Amino acid sequence: MWFSILCLVIVLILKILFDRNRSSKFPPGPRGLPVIGNILDIVNLVKQTKYYSGAWCRLAEKYGPVVGLRLGFDEPLIIVSGKAAITEMLNRSEFDGRPNGFLFKFRSGGTRQGILFTDTDVWHSQRRFTLRTLKQFGFGKDAMEHILQHDAISLTNVVVELTKEGAITNIQSVISVAVLSNLWLLIDGTKFDIGMESSKLREAISVLKELTRNSNVSGGIINQFPFLRHLFPKLTGFSVFVERQKRINNFFMEVVSKHKWKETAEGSNFIDAYLQEIETQKTNSSSFFNENQLVYVVKDLFSAGVDTTDNTIGFVIAFLVAYQDVQAKVHEELDNNIGMDVYPSLQDRDRLPYLKAVLAEVSRLANIGPTTIPHRAITDSNLLGFEIKKNYTLLANLKSIHMDKEHWGDPEVFRPERFIDEKGQFINDSWLVPFGLGRRKCLGETLAKNTIFLFMACLFQRLRIMLPLNHPKPCLQGIDGFIVGPPEMDIIAVQRY
């Protein structure tokens, strides 16, 4: 007992001395306190701005494009802001790693597994196989259009039915299932109708939402002081985190297990293809392909494929509910260029520049992913003259690009016309980077864009969406978390014909 206390005291003293001797090349930032570092600085900034992304932007305004923070016992956290600094950081291979923090490993059984939170050879092998295999099944290709269109029409029909019963209170849960439908076909090989999905699948989506809503990209108190999970498991939220991770991990283990014990592998979905790859590489002693990896790769695909896409759709609905004049322009464009007799298709994208502009402006202003997933320096390096040592964690503050006043002029204003030129055509702007940049850019970008476009085109072709009478205006800044969620609100959908 006394020996443990003595060891802890020694560690604390060494920590204090280390923090006081900060290198002159360490990035600028608030001085912080002994042991806890800048934790209270971040807490105060989040209280002031209401969002972690707001805290990162405040720090950038005061200290510049590269800010250094020390958070407890965790490795220093480097916040990178501004287009130039972020572009450099995300395109340098020495910053392609993922953090080694306790929670980042705990989510996948105690070691970093899967695709989102792995790096070096593990990440390269899993990413290469995943992309190649999913593309074979149509991932990100226009060949999937009929599936996406079917899901978009189904979502519209479900919304029509729900609104017959009055105001819709669970629109986001319906959207989540609709978004998952096409991705689940690629992963599991099964197709379900919206509203007919299994209760276990609905529960998995719900648990995923709870995990992202109750976490943040800095890792939180357990990453900063891992030993506290033993002393205060409930107070730190660790008990709830463990329970949720266990539930969602068990779900994916059961899914993989069902494929493993099938009499014949159909080879028409990702899980079957991965299991076949495990068999192929059995004699390869350095192989990174095994059943545990498969479980967490599927979990990562599920998480990345659902949460950001359905949140974007939820934000589009929220913005068009709040800005009825913009919704009316979307209706007019759909009426003039598509009509009512046929459903929109991906081939109609160039015929609907204003809708594309609305989707771009919502992505810019909502900032569903205000930062990238944390990166890790895999070797000693530097950034803009500042020392970045091995294992430092880096966050690319994408919101700083999307809210840059010099580029956008009026970044706080919702103005889709900023993406329309004088000829009425859509403008691609390189300052819009919701999917990140570099080698770790979101691999589902094309599928996400196609899904959002078709879902919104079909929904607003047939429906006008508004708030119930006396309903408060939704907070368009959303709900903070690892991923920013759309505002909670009731809606009324009225058929336009």
Side-chain angles (χ1 to χ4, degrees), residues 170-454:
N170 63 339
I171 185 64
Q172 200 58 35
S173 63
V174 177
I175 292 170
S176 298
V177 172
V179 167
L180 177 63
S181 179
N182 62 81
L183 182 64
W184 198 242
L185 176 64
L186 295 176
I187 295 174
D188 183 60
T190 58
K191 189 80 173 87
F192 58 81
D193 292 324
I194 301 169
M196 302 297 291
E197 67 281 354
S198 71
S199 59
K200 289 186 176 181
L201 198 59
R202 285 198 301 273
E203 181 186 9
I205 294 173
S206 176
V207 173
L208 169 66
K209 293 290 183 182
E210 291 169 353
L211 284 167
T212 55
R213 189 179 299 118
N214 292 285
S215 60
N216 66 76
V217 290
S218 71
I221 194 69
I222 296 300
N223 250 14
Q224 295 147 14
F225 297 102
F227 65 88
L228 290 179
R229 72 187 189 276
H230 300 301
L231 302 176
F232 311 105
K234 291 184 179 180
L235 185 62
T236 57
F238 184 65
S239 296
V240 174
F241 180 79
V242 170
E243 187 268 338
R244 287 171 177 165
Q245 289 290 355
K246 183 178 180 180
R247 284 163 62 195
I248 199 165
N249 288 345
N250 285 342
F251 169 77
F252 290 112
M253 289 176 184
E254 289 179 13
V255 170
V256 169
S257 181
K258 289 178 182 177
H259 284 259
K260 181 183 175 183
W261 299 112
K262 286 196 304 186
E263 291 185 6
T264 57
E266 299 174 2
S268 61
N269 60 79
F270 178 79
I271 295 177
D272 285 347
Y274 197 106
L275 288 171
Q276 290 173 5
E277 185 69 13
I278 293 174
E279 288 297 315
T280 301
Q281 298 207 24
K282 263 189 174 180
T283 58
N284 181 2
S285 59
S286 60
S287 171
F288 297 110
F289 289 81
N290 55 67
E291 288 180 28
N292 280 338
Q293 278 283 5
L294 172 56
V295 167
Y296 295 111
V297 168
V298 171
K299 178 182 179 181
D300 286 346
L301 291 173
F302 185 96
S303 303
V306 175
D307 218 21
T308 52
T309 302
D310 72 346
N311 282 358
T312 302
I313 291 172
F315 266 111
V316 173
I317 292 173
F319 271 90
L320 294 192
V321 160
Y323 293 89
Q324 288 289 320
D325 57 328
V326 175
Q327 186 177 162
K329 290 180 182 179
V330 170
H331 290 153
E332 182 181 6
E333 182 179 68
L334 285 162
D335 292 347
N336 292 339
N337 295 291
I338 307 298
M340 301 292 190
D341 297 328
V342 296
Y343 285 101
S345 68
L346 293 178
Q347 285 67 44
D348 294 320
R349 283 174 289 199
D350 291 340
R351 300 170 63 195
L352 300 172
Y354 190 73
L355 175 60
K356 289 173 65 178
V358 169
L359 302 182
E361 180 71 338
V362 170
S363 293
R364 182 192 70 81
L365 201 51
N367 286 294
I368 289 92
T371 69
T372 57
I373 292 175
H375 286 233
R376 176 178 64 89
I378 57 179
T379 185
D380 288 349
S381 185
N382 67 82
L383 181 63
L384 300 188
F386 298 108
E387 184 179 69
I388 308 295
K389 290 188 176 181
K390 182 179 180 180
N391 291 328
Y392 280 15
T393 299
L394 299 96
L395 275 183
N397 178 15
L398 302 181
K399 185 175 181 177
S400 68
I401 301 178
H402 294 158
M403 303 303 289
D404 186 290
K405 191 169 185 177
E406 288 188 13
H407 178 76
W408 301 104
D410 53 354
E412 302 291 341
V413 177
F414 178 63
R415 186 168 58 84
E417 287 77 12
R418 72 176 79 245
F419 290 98
I420 299 291
D421 65 17
E422 64 278 1
K423 296 180 180 179
Q425 298 303 306
F426 177 75
I427 303 171
N428 280 307
D429 194 314
S430 63
W431 285 63
L432 182 66
V433 289
F435 296 93
L437 297 166
R439 284 164 297 277
R440 301 221 68 146
K441 184 179 182 180
C442 176
L443 57 82
E445 178 179 359
T446 301
L447 178 60
K449 286 182 174 179
N450 289 348
T451 301
I452 294 166
F453 174 81
L454 274 180

Side-chain angles (χ1 to χ4, degrees), residues 459-489:
L459 198 68
F460 286 100
Q461 180 193 41
R462 283 168 163 70
L463 299 172
R464 179 189 172 200
I465 302 179
M466 63 194 78
L467 295 172
L469 189 64
N470 298 323
H471 191 291
K473 186 177 180 179
C475 173
L476 296 178
Q477 289 185 306
I479 302 170
D480 204 14
F482 199 97
I483 299 292
V484 177
E488 295 179 352
M489 60 181 183

Side-chain angles (χ1 to χ4, degrees), residues 19-33:
D19 287 349
R20 289 184 65 183
N21 293 316
R22 178 183 294 194
S23 167
S24 61
K25 293 185 178 180
F26 187 79
R31 185 66 185 175
L33 297 172

